[in-house]
Amino acid sequence: MSNVIVSRFGGDAAANSETIKKMIEIIKANPDRRYVVVSAPGTTDNDIGITDMLYMCYASFQAKENYETILGKISNRYKEIVNGLGMNFDVDFEINALRKNLHLGLDYIGSRGEYIFGKIIAKYLDWKFVDAFQVMALNPDGTPDKERTFSMASERLRSLDRAIIPSFYGSTTGGTVKTFNRGDCDTSGALVACAIKADLFEKWSESAKVYSADPSVIPDAELVNTITYSEAVELNYIGITLTKDEVAFMLQEADIPMTICSIYDDYVMNIVPKLPENISRNVTACIAGHQNFKVIKIQKYGMNKAYEYDNKLFATFAKHRIAARHHVSGIHNMMIVLKNPRFDLIRNEIIEDIQEAINPNSITVSQDFSLIALVGEGMGTIKGLFGKIFASLALAGVKAKMIEQGADNLNIIIGVDDNDYESAIKALYKAMILNESIFENGIL
């Protein structure tokens, strides 16, 4: 019995006829690829993506401005794709329908990029086109209604041998078109995979490479080929985004593995619910980091004795919609690490609100702070791990200004000065990835 693969292709795989030809080759290469979820054509060298052009068109329509120029660009983009594939497809019919239905609203208009492209690919492959409106259920806030989606998609798709499904939109309980939040296209594919109980979910994009350490610091860092969903979520937090947390949780719960593949080479990143027994590696799978964080240090005598200080402090950040990446508390002080471009714009306002909320003894703001994450299953269960980390940093002349272990034993976060970032990465790579002895006598 053959496996069932759900494949999701992003907008970069649909940018032009050449990348689309590559996408079609990939689909045809494996008969197990039976359900394909597609995005709207993405950005090219000469123009922005289709979805952004659709939003611009709707904005012009709302403002009672001339939108025909933008419609013309959208039409030309699809005609270039169709001509490049050497097929017959009535682009003018679809654009006329779009023109007549501009009054249906932003969600409807924003969904047409995927809708039209899905119809093109379905006709080219001679596969069934399934409108996402029929199989994707969304809540009013753009989040998926999973249970209703599973019911709709399972009933509709299981009767089909092969199907093309647009991503990015679905239907509400009221029967209107609703788009997912931007950047949620992986969710469409994962929902299909879970609904039909697929054996594998594939995500195809321009680049899928993940290294065991920052390649700009460690040029010969090895590629990472397999991680768990739990590790993928930890990497998301530090800035290496493989797929959204919600997608990882959904697929993990359904026990469906995921691969992230590049349309340009043979590299494949496998994300699995649990590491296979035949995979052997060091406890640290990846070292990832980012620079240029801000650090807010707040001193308030007796802070540890009154719970309301924490509540008031974080309510202030919530008010301004700024999330703290990390915070470390002491008896009379707290250090908050964040990275948000909005903070620089409203810095004085935030400081004034903090002063009003908790009347601190002092507040200082500094920058040039780096966070480095060691990510790996079961890191917290290894004896002597912190000793090895501190020793490797000390021998490299790096002072750790913050260290925090995740409660699930999947990561250790280290804060250092930006000036020490590269030295810290190199030292940790030797100790944790290459597993080199720190001392000549091999104590660690």
Side-chain angles (χ1 to χ4, degrees), residues 364-433:
T364 60
V365 180
S366 59
Q367 53 188 14
D368 302 329
F369 191 79
S370 295
L371 288 179
I372 300 170
L374 310 178
V375 176
E377 291 276 357
M379 290 192 65
T381 65
I382 305 300
K383 293 181 179 179
L385 187 65
F386 279 93
K388 192 171 186 177
I389 290 171
F390 282 121
S392 65
L393 293 175
L395 290 173
V398 175
K399 178 183 178 181
K401 306 187 76 172
M402 183 198 86
I403 188 161
E404 181 178 66
Q405 179 181 335
D408 50 10
N409 294 329
L410 285 165
N411 72 56
I412 294 173
I413 306 291
I414 301 163
V416 301
D417 286 332
D418 277 348
N419 291 335
D420 288 329
Y421 175 77
E422 290 194 9
S423 297
I425 292 286
K426 291 175 181 177
L428 292 168
Y429 180 76
K430 290 179 180 179
M432 308 305 297
I433 301 294

Side-chain angles (χ1 to χ4, degrees), residues 282-439:
N282 291 328
V283 66
T284 303
C286 184
I287 299 172
H290 277 287
Q291 298 177 273
N292 303 317
F293 285 88
K294 298 285 193 306
V295 176
I296 303 174
K297 293 182 180 178
I298 301 169
Q299 186 179 60
K300 173 72 178 180
Y301 297 129
M303 185 180 288
N304 66 316
K305 296 179 181 179
Y307 67 85
E308 71 267 17
Y309 291 138
D310 284 4
N311 293 342
K312 291 179 179 179
L313 183 59
F314 287 106
T316 298
F317 286 101
K319 169 188 171 183
H320 295 284
R321 303 183 65 81
I322 291 179
R325 287 294 188 96
H326 288 275
H327 69 278
V328 181
S329 301
I331 296 175
H332 304 300
N333 55 71
M334 179 178 290
M335 181 174 80
I336 299 169
V337 182
L338 55 86
K339 178 180 278 191
N340 189 312
R342 289 189 65 247
F343 176 77
D344 291 328
L345 300 175
I346 56 175
R347 170 174 169 168
N348 292 336
E349 185 178 345
I350 291 175
I351 291 175
E352 288 175 3
D353 285 351
I354 292 173
Q355 290 172 332
E356 181 178 346
I358 67 172
N359 190 28
N361 297 97
S362 66
I363 301 177
T364 60
V365 180
S366 59
Q367 53 188 14
D368 302 329
F369 191 79
S370 295
L371 288 179
I372 300 170
L374 310 178
V375 176
E377 291 276 357
M379 290 192 65
T381 65
I382 305 300
K383 293 181 179 179
L385 187 65
F386 279 93
K388 192 171 186 177
I389 290 171
F390 282 121
S392 65
L393 293 175
L395 290 173
V398 175
K399 178 183 178 181
K401 306 187 76 172
M402 183 198 86
I403 188 161
E404 181 178 66
Q405 179 181 335
D408 50 10
N409 294 329
L410 285 165
N411 72 56
I412 294 173
I413 306 291
I414 301 163
V416 301
D417 286 332
D418 277 348
N419 291 335
D420 288 329
Y421 175 77
E422 290 194 9
S423 297
I425 292 286
K426 291 175 181 177
L428 292 168
Y429 180 76
K430 290 179 180 179
M432 308 305 297
I433 301 294
L434 300 182
N435 205 27
E436 292 183 2
S437 294
I438 296 176
F439 303 125

Side-chain angles (χ1 to χ4, degrees), residues 123-154:
K123 182 173 183 179
Y124 184 89
L125 291 171
D126 195 23
W127 285 21
K128 183 69 175 178
F129 172 77
V130 176
D131 192 344
F133 187 85
Q134 301 172 333
V135 294
M136 292 287 156
L138 275 76
N139 298 311
D141 63 354
T143 58
D145 182 335
K146 290 194 292 185
E147 295 308 315
R148 195 160 66 89
T149 295
F150 293 160
S151 175
M152 293 165 60
S154 176

Side-chain angles (χ1 to χ4, degrees), residues 101-360:
N101 291 312
L102 284 171
H103 64 281
L104 292 181
L106 185 64
D107 286 275
Y108 177 86
I109 301 307
S111 72
R112 296 303 89 180
E114 280 79 5
Y115 175 82
I116 296 172
F117 184 66
K119 291 181 74 173
I120 292 171
I121 297 301
K123 182 173 183 179
Y124 184 89
L125 291 171
D126 195 23
W127 285 21
K128 183 69 175 178
F129 172 77
V130 176
D131 192 344
F133 187 85
Q134 301 172 333
V135 294
M136 292 287 156
L138 275 76
N139 298 311
D141 63 354
T143 58
D145 182 335
K146 290 194 292 185
E147 295 308 315
R148 195 160 66 89
T149 295
F150 293 160
S151 175
M152 293 165 60
S154 176
E155 180 180 355
R156 180 76 178 94
L157 297 176
R158 283 184 176 276
S159 63
L160 302 174
D161 184 56
R162 303 189 181 281
I164 300 293
I165 308 108
S167 65
F168 189 49
Y169 73 95
S171 60
T172 65
T173 54
T176 60
V177 171
K178 180 67 182 176
T179 56
F180 285 86
N181 298 317
R182 289 298 292 267
D184 263 2
C185 291
D186 280 5
T187 307
S188 301
L191 286 165
V192 171
C194 292
I196 63 171
K197 297 179 171 56
D199 298 285
L200 176 66
F201 173 55
E202 295 180 328
K203 172 183 175 179
W204 291 87
S205 63
E206 280 188 313
S207 177
K209 290 181 173 58
V210 175
Y211 293 87
S212 56
D214 185 343
S216 68
V217 180
I218 311 292
D220 57 351
E222 295 181 352
L223 287 166
V224 179
N225 298 107
T226 304
I227 61 172
T228 65
Y229 282 116
S230 298
E231 290 170 334
V233 170
E234 297 297 331
L235 290 175
N236 283 350
Y237 185 73
I238 200 65
I240 299 178
T241 303
L242 301 174
T243 191
K244 295 193 69 174
D245 291 355
E246 295 80 2
V247 171
F249 294 141
M250 191 191 317
L251 293 170
Q252 183 174 35
E253 186 177 42
D255 199 29
I256 299 173
M258 174 182 183
T259 60
I260 303 179
C261 314
S262 171
I263 62 175
Y264 295 115
D265 57 48
D266 296 329
Y267 173 76
V268 175
M269 161 62 77
N270 300 287
I271 309 179
V272 294
K274 184 179 179 181
L275 281 177
E277 293 182 359
N278 62 342
I279 290 184
S280 176
R281 72 178 193 201
N282 291 328
V283 66
T284 303
C286 184
I287 299 172
H290 277 287
Q291 298 177 273
N292 303 317
F293 285 88
K294 298 285 193 306
V295 176
I296 303 174
K297 293 182 180 178
I298 301 169
Q299 186 179 60
K300 173 72 178 180
Y301 297 129
M303 185 180 288
N304 66 316
K305 296 179 181 179
Y307 67 85
E308 71 267 17
Y309 291 138
D310 284 4
N311 293 342
K312 291 179 179 179
L313 183 59
F314 287 106
T316 298
F317 286 101
K319 169 188 171 183
H320 295 284
R321 303 183 65 81
I322 291 179
R325 287 294 188 96
H326 288 275
H327 69 278
V328 181
S329 301
I331 296 175
H332 304 300
N333 55 71
M334 179 178 290
M335 181 174 80
I336 299 169
V337 182
L338 55 86
K339 178 180 278 191
N340 189 312
R342 289 189 65 247
F343 176 77
D344 291 328
L345 300 175
I346 56 175
R347 170 174 169 168
N348 292 336
E349 185 178 345
I350 291 175
I351 291 175
E352 288 175 3
D353 285 351
I354 292 173
Q355 290 172 332
E356 181 178 346
I358 67 172
N359 190 28

